[in-house]
């Protein structure tokens, strides 16, 4: 039995023991500076307001955007689970509205060098998150690096954040093209939705998606869906400066209301598209991620 098969067996046993697994949503972008982490944080907060248990996993290692936006400083990160025998509950930091978040720290960089027992322990720890949350949001790095693509491919539900800027649209298409060309990519195994940030009007967001959709349908063998848009809003910048998310600092602002609408849409379509069994929950995502890192 190879190591990839061993990882799949860990996930299989976990899913049999704990049939209810968390819904894992990967948030990514083709370039930095488009508001990806703000999207992750504010969607998490809106989902929490709607009664969901939410944990954010900050996979943008080295930049610590989530903790900056929350104004919190986690004492531990994923590396402490891997190398210092901490359990996953010990590295969860509590943010606003009691949302939990986990810093990837620099621990992700060394994942490709782990031994069999370390991998099993890590995946088993991450499997515990499925019993602690209804929704887990994975905030990836920006761009089309190997680690970003591996995270996106490892899950079954993706939100791609873009803006009306030409460079952002181009980079979003580049990320989609890179995914489409990746080994093991399957249109039936992953759902990709587009969220447009910093629009001047709702029609701008819809028009941007329509143009991107035309190009994707013409040149790539994949489907994308429109999730919604967030307007250009100075309240977001003010909230960032205060290190308090706009959904809390300015709950009645246009942007906070837009995040709320997107969160409602995420909840309303929760039953659409049953994920591949091997991709269910956080254990499924990470076992797939580890397999791609170790066995490409």
């Amino acid at each position: 039995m190879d190591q990839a098969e061993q990882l799949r067996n860990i996930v299989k046993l976990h899913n049999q023991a704990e049939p209810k697994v968390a819904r894992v949503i990967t948030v990514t972008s083709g370039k930095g500076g488009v508001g990806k982490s703000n999207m992750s944080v504010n969607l998490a907060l809106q989902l929490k307001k709607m009664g969901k248990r939410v944990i954010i996993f900050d996979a943008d290692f080295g930049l610590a955007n989530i903790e900056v936006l929350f104004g919190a400083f986690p004492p531990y990160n994923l590396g402490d689970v891997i190398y210092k025998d901490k359990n996953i509950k010990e590295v969860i930091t509590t943010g606003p509205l009691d949302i939990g978040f986990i810093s990837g720290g620099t621990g992700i960089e060394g994942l490709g060098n782990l031994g069999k027992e370390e991998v099993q322990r890590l995946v088993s720890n991450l499997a515990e998150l499925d019993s602690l949350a209804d929704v887990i949001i994975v905030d990836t790095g920006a761009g089309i690096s190997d680690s970003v693509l591996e995270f996106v491919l490892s899950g079954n539900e993706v939100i791609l954040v873009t803006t009306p800027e030409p460079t952002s649209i181009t980079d979003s298409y580049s990320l989609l093209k890179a995914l489409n060309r990746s080994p093991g990519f399957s249109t039936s195994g992953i759902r990709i939705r587009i969220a447009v940030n910093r629009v001047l009007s709702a029609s701008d967001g819809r028009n941007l998606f329509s143009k991107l959709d035309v190009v994707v349908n013409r040149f790539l063998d994949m489907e994308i869906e429109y999730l919604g848009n967030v307007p250009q809003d100075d309240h977001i910048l003010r909230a960032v400066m205060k290190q308090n998310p706009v959904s809390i600092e300015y709950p009645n602002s246009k942007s906070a209301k837009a995040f709320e609408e997107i969160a409602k849409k995420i909840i309303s379509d929760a039953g659409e598209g049953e994920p591949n069994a091997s991709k269910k929950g956080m254990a499924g995502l990470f076992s797939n991620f580890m397999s791609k890192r170790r066995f490409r």
Side-chain angles (χ1 to χ4, degrees), residues 11-31:
V11 178
K12 184 178 179 180
L13 289 172
H14 164 67
N15 287 339
Q16 289 175 345
E18 183 64 57
K20 183 183 182 300
V21 293
R23 183 179 180 185
V24 180
I25 302 173
T26 304
V27 181
T28 192
S29 63
K31 68 185 293 289

Side-chain angles (χ1 to χ4, degrees), residues 194-271:
I194 309 299
V196 187
N197 198 18
R198 300 173 188 160
V199 300
L200 297 180
S201 68
S203 60
D204 286 346
R206 176 66 69 174
N207 290 338
L208 185 157
F209 170 79
S210 296
K211 292 177 182 177
L212 183 60
D213 191 39
V214 167
V215 178
V216 169
N217 285 332
R218 182 176 180 183
F219 296 107
L220 303 179
D221 181 23
M222 64 194 313
E223 294 182 2
I224 57 175
E225 304 171 43
Y226 184 60
L227 182 60
N229 64 81
V230 178
Q232 179 71 39
D233 187 356
D234 290 341
H235 288 97
I236 292 182
L237 178 59
R238 296 178 200 168
V240 169
M241 297 300 292
K242 294 182 178 181
Q243 291 188 283
N244 196 29
V246 71
S247 293
I248 294 178
E249 188 70 23
Y250 304 106
N252 296 316
S253 63
K254 294 185 296 182
S255 54
K257 294 297 184 182
F259 287 125
E260 181 182 6
E261 290 304 310
I262 293 175
K264 286 180 180 178
K265 188 171 183 180
I266 289 172
I267 289 178
S268 67
D269 64 6

Side-chain angles (χ1 to χ4, degrees), residues 14-133:
H14 164 67
N15 287 339
Q16 289 175 345
E18 183 64 57
K20 183 183 182 300
V21 293
R23 183 179 180 185
V24 180
I25 302 173
T26 304
V27 181
T28 192
S29 63
K31 68 185 293 289
V34 300
K36 170 184 59 63
S37 294
N38 248 311
M39 181 73 67
S40 296
V41 164
N42 284 285
L43 288 183
L45 288 167
Q46 295 295 344
L47 289 168
K48 178 69 175 182
K49 289 180 180 180
M50 296 173 190
K52 300 298 182 182
R53 298 174 302 158
V54 186
I55 291 175
I56 302 176
F57 182 86
D58 189 352
D60 193 357
F61 51 93
L63 294 183
N65 288 334
I66 301 299
E67 57 198 73
V68 171
L69 292 173
F70 273 161
F73 302 96
Y76 305 113
N77 59 47
L78 188 66
D80 293 298
V81 175
I82 300 170
Y83 305 112
K84 298 182 180 180
D85 293 329
K86 294 291 182 181
N87 65 57
I88 199 67
K89 292 181 180 179
E90 291 179 287
V91 304
I92 298 176
T93 301
T94 301
L97 300 187
D98 290 328
I99 286 179
F101 75 94
I102 299 171
S103 171
T106 58
I108 296 174
E109 294 176 335
L111 290 181
N113 301 316
L114 300 183
K116 172 186 170 183
E117 292 184 1
E118 291 171 314
V119 171
Q120 290 178 331
R121 183 174 180 276
L122 174 61
V123 174
S124 296
N125 261 277
L126 289 166
E128 292 187 36
L129 296 178
D130 289 325
S131 64
L132 300 176

Side-chain angles (χ1 to χ4, degrees), residues 154-210:
S154 296
N156 61 278
E157 192 169 356
V158 176
I159 296 175
L160 173 56
V161 183
T162 189
T163 73
E165 295 178 7
T167 54
S168 178
I169 300 170
T170 300
D171 289 335
S172 294
Y173 177 75
S174 295
L175 186 146
L176 292 170
K177 182 168 67 173
L179 288 176
N180 191 59
R181 293 179 175 178
S182 297
F185 173 79
S186 170
T187 55
S188 63
I190 186 170
R191 185 182 188 188
I192 302 173
R193 288 178 291 179
I194 309 299
V196 187
N197 198 18
R198 300 173 188 160
V199 300
L200 297 180
S201 68
S203 60
D204 286 346
R206 176 66 69 174
N207 290 338
L208 185 157
F209 170 79
S210 296

